[in-house]
Amino acid sequence: MSDEQEHNSAFNAGANINVQHAQLQDLSLSAARRLYKGGIRPGEPIRTRVQAQEMLDKIPPSQRAGIDGKFADVNTQKYLSDKHASHIKPHSKGGSNNPNNIKWENAKDNIARGDKTMTWQEKMRLDAKWQFDNLTGAVKAGFQAAPLGAAVGAVTAAPFSLLTNALRVVRGEISAQEATTATLKDTVMGGAVGGATAFATTAVAAACPPIAIALTAAAPVLAVVGTAGMVYEFFKILDDHRQAVRNYYQSLTQQELEHLQAIENELIYEHQKNLEFLAETETINQEITNRPIAPGVEGAMQRLRESVAIAQSLGLTSADSKLLPDSQIPHFYPKQ
């Protein structure tokens, strides 16, 4: 899988992530009532809208997050279902209903404390519990978003991997079976990249509302970047294919030239050998022609022996002449 395909899978997965944190206008009547009246005794004035928003903000961000307002409301109600608006300083000791004096706490723990003031250990425990709930909610949101991200990543990677490997089959670089395996591998990798991107992005956005807002604003940009990346990748694959084909035929041309050069060199070598042989033959012929001729039979026999020696030096045998030594004729030569 190329870097471009990984980037495209990540961008497209990120562009499809939507995290929204619950606002007062998104909440159902029962959930909103908890924010306005939680911890307030009958007959006391309810909180203002600003204070109700502060009570909502005391819920861990990831626990009031969803893909839209409806899911955010459902998650908010689920979180508040076993919670009380616990007073740090109880009513009986002059504690107010202001959100600064309130922490969301498990109902059983609040009831068990009664009218006692919340100790610093209890406040630290609730703060730690708030962080833990925010983390677990973020992880849960990440896992919920991962399948969609994986699907987007796989769909993004599959067609480009299929095109790339199909062209490799056309060029003869791999077999059809190898192309299928490579395409499946790239598709799985694209799904993994998309899933991981969706998980990480959603988890961070769920735990941190400003990032969720920024991600929502950047989603159109991510979609454009992902689309542009896919267009670029498509033309890059085609360009790489053209370049590979061009290089292939250029290599064939170079091989042909090298082959023709080797043949020409061989012909030149053989021609040179023939020239050398002819020159040597001419020299020997001159020696034979210009040698002194002795009179009589003895002179003739001497010339015959010299001719046989010359023929042997040239590699001739009785197959070339019956007068050479391995034939029976030379046995009748008179000895010196």
Side-chain angles (χ1 to χ4, degrees), residues 4 8 159-160 163-164 167 227-240 242:
E4 289 81 4
N8 293 338
F160 294 100
L163 176 60
T164 298
L167 292 176
T227 302
M230 293 172 68
V231 173
Y232 169 79
E233 178 67 11
F234 174 75
F235 286 106
K236 184 177 183 297
I237 291 172
L238 295 182
D239 184 65
D240 290 344
R242 286 193 295 268

Side-chain angles (χ1 to χ4, degrees), residues 295-313:
V297 175
E298 181 62 28
M301 294 301 297
Q302 179 64 30
R303 288 195 299 276
L304 176 59
R305 284 193 293 272
E306 291 174 353
S307 297
V308 169
I310 292 172
Q312 289 177 330
S313 69

Side-chain angles (χ1 to χ4, degrees), residues 66-197:
I67 59 175
D68 55 27
K70 179 180 179 180
F71 280 94
D73 173 49
V74 170
N75 290 334
T76 300
Q77 292 188 62
K78 186 180 297 184
Y79 179 78
L80 294 176
S81 62
D82 63 345
K83 300 292 189 300
H84 274 184
S86 298
H87 292 76
I88 298 174
K89 185 177 181 180
H91 275 119
S92 60
K93 297 182 179 180
S96 70
N97 294 322
N98 190 285
N100 293 332
N101 191 47
I102 300 293
K103 284 182 178 294
W104 292 111
E105 184 181 24
N106 185 280
K108 293 181 179 179
D109 295 333
N110 182 45
I111 294 172
R113 185 182 304 107
D115 61 351
K116 296 178 181 178
T117 300
M118 192 179 295
T119 65
W120 68 269
Q121 293 94 337
E122 290 173 326
K123 288 189 290 185
M124 288 186 61
R125 176 180 59 80
L126 288 176
D127 290 341
K129 182 66 165 57
W130 188 96
Q131 297 291 346
F132 179 77
D133 288 343
N134 194 33
L135 176 61
T136 56
V139 172
K140 180 181 178 181
F143 277 119
Q144 290 175 341
L148 175 61
V152 172
V155 170
T156 300
F160 294 100
S161 178
L162 180 61
L163 176 60
T164 298
N165 290 303
L167 292 176
R168 292 181 66 192
V169 172
V170 171
R171 296 195 299 267
E173 297 176 2
I174 57 176
S175 66
Q177 182 177 0
E178 290 172 330
T180 301
T181 301
T183 300
L184 290 175
K185 180 179 178 181
D186 289 344
T187 301
V188 171
M189 183 62 68
V193 171
T197 300

Side-chain angles (χ1 to χ4, degrees), residues 48-76:
T48 65
R49 181 177 179 84
V50 173
Q51 290 176 332
Q53 181 64 50
E54 291 178 4
M55 291 295 292
L56 177 60
D57 293 339
K58 286 182 172 291
I59 298 174
S62 66
Q63 297 292 340
R64 51 185 169 88
I67 59 175
D68 55 27
K70 179 180 179 180
F71 280 94
D73 173 49
V74 170
N75 290 334
T76 300

